[in-house]
Amino acid sequence: MRKLVDSGCGAVAGTISRESIVSEATAGWYANGAEWESYWDGTKWLDQHRPVATQRASAPVLADPMTNGSGVLPGAEGALPEAEAEAEAEAEAEAEAEVDLFPFASSGVVIDIRPDGVHLEGTTWLGRAAVGDKPRVVAWEDISTLESTNAGIRIREGRKAIVIGVPSKEAAKALLIVERLAQAFETATGRAIPTSATTRAEREVAVENVFRRALSRKVQAIAAVIESGDHPAEVVMSHELLAWAKGQKIKGGVELASGELDNVRRSLGAHIPSVVGVVSSGLISRNITVFDDRVHRGAEAHPIDAFTQAQVFLDGQVQVTSRPSMTAGLIGSVLPGSALLPALAFGKKEKTDTRQAEFQVGSRDWIFTKKIPVSVVAEARSIAQRVNAIADGMELVARASVDTAAATSSDADLASQIERIVALERSGAITAAQAEAMKARVIGL
């Protein structure tokens, strides 16, 4: 908005440069803002000003052809048309309303708008139960629905519904909060989100769309890691992706995530892992899943490298015991009191298996162990042998590469040898320490 300043003879716009008017403009009264007019004699501004209402009783206000009747003084620098000024005033009013609206607190929860999402913070035990123990931001891309309900405000983060209670006396404000959140969502994502009540089918579609967008982002992040050659990081991120997909409870979500991941690996020429076996005890515990290049257990995953070893321990023994059978003794006795001899001869034999088995697999900085039934020892040993064979193969490849590099070492191909060692390290075939030792041998330190 322009500010009017008193010049002693009326009010003039403080942004007007009197020397800047075009000399061709005809003499007359010209609009100076929305409420005042100033007089131009054809060559210069006169110190004559009057309110707009005065024009009804005197000469009309001239519209300068250069401004097309916009109401801005000829040559006035920085002056805004009246429509723009009104729009600016409305924007300022909206900004002030936004400041007054957020942060919004209700039922022990503080809601605020951030560039990356909706900030939620629980200030009471009830609020923390609704939004989590620590302040956090629900990313715009993770929001599937926004609703104002009879109970308050409902924000769905994927499938999870976060309900923030709002008193009935602030129901109108809750509606405004949801509308503001929807506007910020559209600004951030470029997509509109409905704020009215949704059907179950609509919610399922919205949740699946959020899942697919998040899956795409996560797969692209894994693709970047694969391209960098960081195999251990790819193992961890891939496992986390599948665990996340399972937790989203989308029908066919795990299969979709696995398929997208394999497609990316295939397009980049990366190895697609295959399952060697699963070590399970049949109890409610975390199984160990062994692939041909990695091992999973619960939320953890590690790559198989040249130092990985697997084995099965079997302790205890099978004991066979016998006890007298008095039934057999009585049947076999010929004289009273002679039943003990047949009872001992035909005693019952009992077998007691006290053996305990455990499967172990690990490398230098990690190890997985699992108690297993004796009945699956043979299968577990087969899996362990396969793991050891994979690790031995990696060790042979690493040694062969180093031996070849050492045999053909020369100043001309020194750089290429170092690059091969770096490639082996990135693929996970050798460790960082091994790589440094190999480089030292090639250089001759």
Side-chain angles (χ1 to χ4, degrees):
M1 297 292 293
R2 292 186 298 276
K3 296 183 179 179
L4 297 177
V5 296
D6 192 357
S7 66
C9 298
V12 296
T15 58
I16 296 175
S17 173
R18 297 191 178 187
E19 291 74 20
S20 63
I21 190 167
V22 181
S23 60
E24 289 80 6
T26 59
W29 290 95
Y30 289 87
N32 184 3
E35 300 178 0
W36 291 87
E37 300 141 14
S38 297
Y39 193 82
W40 174 257
D41 68 354
T43 59
K44 64 181 182 299
W45 286 108
L46 299 183
D47 200 9
Q48 297 180 17
H49 315 282
R50 68 181 184 184
V52 172
T54 308
Q55 66 177 302
R56 300 194 187 104
S58 59
V61 178
L62 300 178
D64 181 54
M66 295 185 65
T67 64
N68 295 321
S70 63
V72 181
L73 280 173
E77 298 176 353
L80 293 175
E82 185 175 350
E84 291 185 20
E86 291 178 357
E88 182 181 292
E90 291 178 2
E92 291 176 357
E94 283 190 14
E96 291 177 1
E98 190 80 7
V99 171
D100 294 338
L101 192 60
F102 292 99
F104 175 74
S106 182
S107 300
V109 177
V110 175
I111 307 175
D112 206 353
I113 292 179
R114 297 286 190 272
D116 52 345
V118 181
H119 172 83
L120 299 176
E121 180 177 356
T123 57
T124 65
W125 67 269
L126 186 62
R128 287 189 289 272
V131 302
D133 293 334
K134 297 181 179 180
R136 66 192 187 94
V137 173
V138 179
W140 296 120
E141 290 288 353
D142 293 337
I143 296 177
S144 54
T145 62
L146 279 170
E147 299 174 65
S148 176
T149 68
N150 294 333
I153 299 169
R154 180 185 290 122
I155 303 172
R156 277 193 173 82
E157 184 180 13
R159 187 175 295 278
K160 178 184 177 183
I162 303 171
V163 180
I164 298 132
V166 177
S168 56
K169 62 181 181 180
E170 292 190 316
K173 196 171 185 179
L175 285 170
L176 191 56
I177 290 284
V178 171
E179 290 297 331
R180 289 287 190 274
L181 292 177
Q183 291 173 10
F185 176 92
E186 185 171 358
T187 300
T189 65
R191 299 187 305 274
I193 186 170
T195 57
S196 57
T198 55
T199 64
R200 181 174 181 179
E202 290 172 336
R203 289 195 296 272
E204 290 297 326
V205 171
V207 169
E208 185 172 343
N209 289 337
V210 168
F211 173 81
R212 288 180 178 274
R213 287 193 294 268
L215 175 61
S216 178
R217 295 195 304 272
K218 291 176 182 293
V219 169
Q220 290 305 314
I222 294 174
V225 171
I226 292 174
E227 288 183 308
S228 71
D230 191 347
H231 181 61
E234 183 270 326
V235 169
V236 173
M237 292 176 66
S238 298
H239 183 57
E240 290 176 348
L241 172 69
L242 297 177
W244 167 82
K246 183 178 181 180
Q248 297 302 302
K249 297 180 180 179
I250 300 292
K251 186 177 181 180
V254 176
E255 292 76 10
L256 178 62
S258 180
E260 290 291 328
L261 196 54
D262 286 348
N263 288 338
V264 167
R265 288 169 174 154
R266 194 174 293 109
S267 66
L268 297 174
H271 174 71
I272 300 177
S274 59
V275 178
V276 171
V278 179
V279 180
S280 173
S281 63
L283 303 175
I284 303 177
S285 60
R286 296 173 297 177
N287 295 335
I288 297 177
T289 304
V290 178
F291 295 83
D292 58 358
D293 67 342
R294 65 196 68 194
V295 183
H296 292 180
R297 185 188 68 173
E300 295 183 70
H302 296 281
I304 296 176
D305 56 26
F307 297 93
T308 304
Q309 290 186 345
Q311 52 193 336
V312 177
F313 291 100
L314 183 62
D315 295 328
Q317 58 183 348
V318 178
Q319 296 179 340
V320 179
T321 58
S322 62
R323 61 182 178 83
S325 175
M326 298 311 296
T327 302
L330 290 173
I331 295 174
S333 62
V334 293
L335 296 173
S338 63
L340 182 59
L341 293 176
L344 292 174
F346 301 102
K348 282 187 175 181
K349 293 184 179 180
E350 295 181 350
K351 181 186 291 186
T352 304
D353 192 345
T354 61
R355 294 177 299 172
Q356 293 183 342
E358 182 178 82
F359 178 85
Q360 291 185 358
V361 60
S363 188
R364 294 169 302 165
D365 55 355
W366 62 274
I367 184 170
F368 292 155
T369 63
K370 186 172 185 63
K371 300 289 185 182
I372 58 175
V374 175
S375 58
V376 300
V377 165
E379 181 182 354
R381 281 178 173 162
S382 176
I383 295 173
Q385 290 172 359
R386 181 71 186 278
V387 171
N388 294 333
I390 294 170
D392 290 343
M394 291 181 174
E395 184 178 4
L396 289 174
V397 170
R399 287 182 178 178
S401 299
V402 174
D403 291 343
T404 302
T408 60
S409 177
S410 66
D411 293 339
D413 64 355
L414 183 60
S416 64
Q417 295 176 50
I418 296 297
E419 289 176 359
R420 292 176 62 189
I421 295 173
V422 170
L424 287 171
E425 181 185 359
R426 287 179 177 174
S427 67
I430 60 174
T431 65
Q434 286 178 308
E436 291 301 323
M438 293 176 186
K439 291 176 187 177
R441 272 188 284 178
V442 169
I443 297 173
L445 299 179

